[in-house]
């Protein structure tokens, strides 16, 4: 049954009732019949309860908040680019969409994190996580690299209660680029559930840019950190090699060129040496 005709208040009341019925032992089908909700809606409410408790069951009110605009004008876009060239407040390793939204709000530009995500995508600044699924089973150079270089590190860090991150450096290409579009170098990370953290620089990142991210990852994690990184040749940087020797809790695994397929909207800086 469609819930589009229900007000947010009535929908949330029925979602809460659906959870109560599930707690009483009723099946999804039985709950759907008694509440008038669809089976997927009942399942979604039940999943929300199990992951976040009663407070997570009600859905948010549809539409924008009062006084909030979704438009990103030239001024707001300029502020975003300036922010991403800087470091966010500790302990974030780079800028998330929610942190960018909060920073814009402090400058009296109220936009949602979702609107910023759409803008990042249009600017070619929303790379996908590394395509690692199923790689361990492949009989290919990438599969061998994953089994020999990646899996042992991930298992070690996981057993030690550490954190696992993916990331890379790339030249970002906007969806509608022109010849005059400036070259943008993006440093990015993907954390839990693929959450994106990013910095965007007008010039190629230097060693200090990478080390700032590495240090923030360690500072925000009690255990070791595994970072799978694509697009840079860290072995050629004496400063980064020295830092890694002094910080054994950071397990940096670089993705060799050609091990993974390239996304269509990006140009990797594979093999590029971080300058000092």
């Amino acid at each position: 049954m469609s819930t589009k005709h229900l007000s947010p208040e009535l929908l949330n009341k029925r979602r809460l009732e659906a959870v109560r019925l599930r707690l009483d032992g009723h099946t999804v089908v039985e709950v759907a019949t008694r509440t008038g909700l669809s089976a997927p809606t009942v399942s979604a409410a039940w999943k929300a309860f199990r992951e976040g408790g009663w407070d997570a069951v009600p859905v948010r009110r549809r539409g924008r908040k009062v006084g909030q605009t979704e438009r990103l004008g030239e001024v707001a876009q300029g502020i975003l680019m300036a922010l991403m060239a800087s470091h966010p407040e500790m302990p974030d390793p780079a800028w998330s969409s929610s942190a960018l939204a909060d920073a814009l709000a402090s400058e009296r530009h109220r936009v949602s994190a979702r609107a910023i995500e759409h803008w990042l995508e249009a600017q070619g600044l929303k790379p996908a996580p590394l395509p690692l699924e199923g790689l361990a089973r492949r009989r290919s150079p990438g599969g061998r690299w994953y089994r020999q270089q990646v899996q042992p590190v991930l298992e070690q860090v996981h057993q030690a209660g550490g954190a696992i991150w993916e990331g890379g450096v790339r030249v970002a290409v906007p969806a509608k680029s022109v010849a005059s579009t400036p070259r943008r170098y993006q440093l990015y990370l993907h954390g839990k559930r693929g959450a994106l953290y990013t910095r965007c620089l007008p010039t190629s990142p230097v060693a200090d840019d990478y080390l700032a991210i590495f240090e923030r990852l360690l500072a925000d994690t009690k255990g070791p950190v595994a970072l799978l990184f694509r697009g840079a040749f860290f072995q050629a940087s004496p400063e980064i090699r020295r830092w890694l020797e002094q910080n054994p809790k950071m397990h940096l695994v670089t993705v060799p060129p050609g091990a993974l397929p390239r996304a269509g909207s990006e140009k990797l800086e594979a093999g590029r040496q971080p300058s000092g």
Side-chain angles (χ1 to χ4, degrees), residues 126-130 164-167 188-192 194-197:
K126 198 175 181 182
L130 298 178
I164 297 173
W165 291 79
E166 300 174 9
Y188 64 93
L189 296 169
H190 285 102
K192 292 182 179 180
L196 175 66
Y197 296 82

Side-chain angles (χ1 to χ4, degrees), residues 200-217:
C200 189
L201 307 172
T203 59
S204 180
V206 298
D208 285 346
D209 293 315
Y210 294 102
L211 292 178
I213 288 178
F214 299 166
E215 289 171 352
R216 285 167 179 248
L217 290 178

Side-chain angles (χ1 to χ4, degrees), residues 9-218:
E9 293 77 11
L10 182 56
L11 174 59
N12 287 335
K13 183 178 180 180
R14 294 190 182 184
R15 285 172 64 95
L16 292 167
E17 178 62 21
V19 172
R20 295 188 186 97
L21 291 172
R22 290 287 285 128
L23 288 171
D24 289 339
H26 294 281
T27 65
V28 171
V29 174
E30 292 171 342
V31 173
T33 301
R34 296 183 61 168
T35 59
L37 299 175
S38 66
T41 300
V42 172
S43 297
W46 179 240
K47 180 181 179 181
F49 171 76
R50 288 186 299 168
E51 294 180 352
W54 289 107
D55 291 340
V57 177
V59 296
R60 295 180 179 180
R61 185 181 297 273
R62 298 185 180 100
R64 303 172 188 162
K65 296 180 180 179
V66 176
Q68 186 179 61
T69 176
E70 296 297 294
R71 183 174 180 176
L72 277 167
E74 291 185 6
V75 174
Q77 293 184 53
I79 294 174
L80 283 176
M81 294 306 301
L83 287 170
M84 287 190 293
S86 66
H87 294 289
E89 294 184 1
M90 291 288 286
D92 288 348
W95 288 96
S96 66
S97 57
S98 58
L100 288 170
D102 291 341
L104 272 183
S106 67
E107 297 289 337
R108 299 185 179 182
H109 293 273
R110 297 182 61 82
V111 296
S112 67
R114 183 178 294 274
I116 290 178
E117 290 176 3
H118 289 318
W119 178 80
L120 289 172
E121 185 171 5
Q123 296 295 315
L125 296 172
K126 198 175 181 182
L130 298 178
L132 301 175
E133 186 175 357
L135 191 60
R137 298 189 296 273
R138 296 179 187 173
R139 295 182 177 179
S140 65
R144 288 192 295 273
W145 163 77
Y146 187 84
R147 290 188 295 272
Q148 296 172 7
Q149 303 295 325
V150 180
Q151 280 187 325
V153 173
L154 299 186
E155 291 174 1
Q156 178 183 349
V157 171
H158 179 72
Q159 291 176 0
I164 297 173
W165 291 79
E166 300 174 9
V169 60
R170 62 203 280 271
V171 176
V173 180
K176 296 181 180 180
S177 61
V178 294
S180 60
T181 300
R183 195 174 179 88
R184 295 173 178 173
Y185 293 85
Q186 184 183 19
L187 279 168
Y188 64 93
L189 296 169
H190 285 102
K192 292 182 179 180
R193 301 181 181 86
L196 175 66
Y197 296 82
T198 184
R199 289 192 68 208
C200 189
L201 307 172
T203 59
S204 180
V206 298
D208 285 346
D209 293 315
Y210 294 102
L211 292 178
I213 288 178
F214 299 166
E215 289 171 352
R216 285 167 179 248
L217 290 178
L218 283 183

